[in-house]
Amino acid sequence: MPTLIAPSVLAADFANLQRDSEMLNKSEADWFHIDIMDGVFVPNISFGMPVLKAIAKHATKPLDVHLMIVNPDQYIETFAELGSAVLTVHYEACDHLHRTLQKIKSCGMKAGVALNPHTPITVLDSIIKDVDLVCLMSVNPGFGGQSFIEETYTKVKTLKALIQEKGATTLIEIDGGVTNKNAKQLIDAGADVLVAGSYVFGAEDPIQTIAGLKEI
Ligand code: DX5
Ligand code: ZN
């Protein structure tokens, strides 16, 4: 499967969301990555439902929604209604992860689990077959523009081995500090989806930058 590219709208120009959404529509990007932060689970507040609704109005590609919030269960139906294709919750924010994943799927979305950099892959041993996507955080969640944590390569390989051992079809997504400098090594290690925020939106030519990532 060719690697999927999911630019993170967190790094877009919020005063020009229609323009930046149309740019992603035109580009080779596969998904829109949408970061929802509540200021409790992470030390930052990004944006919520009204902004997602505005993006959804213009996006012609699947919305990959990454919830960095406590108590995600109470908003699952709302994110489904807003048009999320993939809904990712944090392992660290869920007391009953299995139940949360079932609820996401019952609302018609793909169910994702994100792991913070300090959380080992082994926490997914018993549940990996129920997970459509694992989002490995390659920075501490909360902010765009941070530098990539090198230990991520090892985690990708460990996760890939677990997925193969259990015969799961889970996609591996990498989120944080992704650039053309680490993309190849991540793909070689087993990554299926690359999220890139500041690398794409900070580039002189975002469309060309996305095409460059896609080529790797
Ligand atoms: C971090 C977010 C990321 C972020 C990535 O908490 O989950 O999706 O937007 O941004 P860059 O690519 O700039 O690290
Ligand atoms: Zn994210």
Side-chain angles (χ1 to χ4, degrees), residues 129-191:
K129 284 190 97 166
D130 296 298
V131 184
D132 295 312
L133 172 145
V134 174
C135 174
L136 289 182
M137 293 308 302
S138 40
V139 298
N140 286 297
F143 302 92
Q146 304 179 80
S147 19
F148 180 81
I149 297 171
E150 300 278 324
E151 181 65 19
T152 308
Y153 300 121
T154 309
K155 286 183 86 174
V156 179
K157 287 184 199 151
T158 308
L159 175 57
K160 189 79 188 172
L162 174 67
I163 291 167
Q164 283 170 345
E165 179 202 325
K166 302 276 187 183
T169 53
T170 318
L171 295 178
I172 302 177
E173 176 176 74
I174 311 299
D175 189 7
V178 171
T179 68
N180 61 344
K181 300 241 162 23
N182 48 33
K184 176 158 188 340
Q185 209 174 328
L186 287 167
I187 295 166
D188 288 347

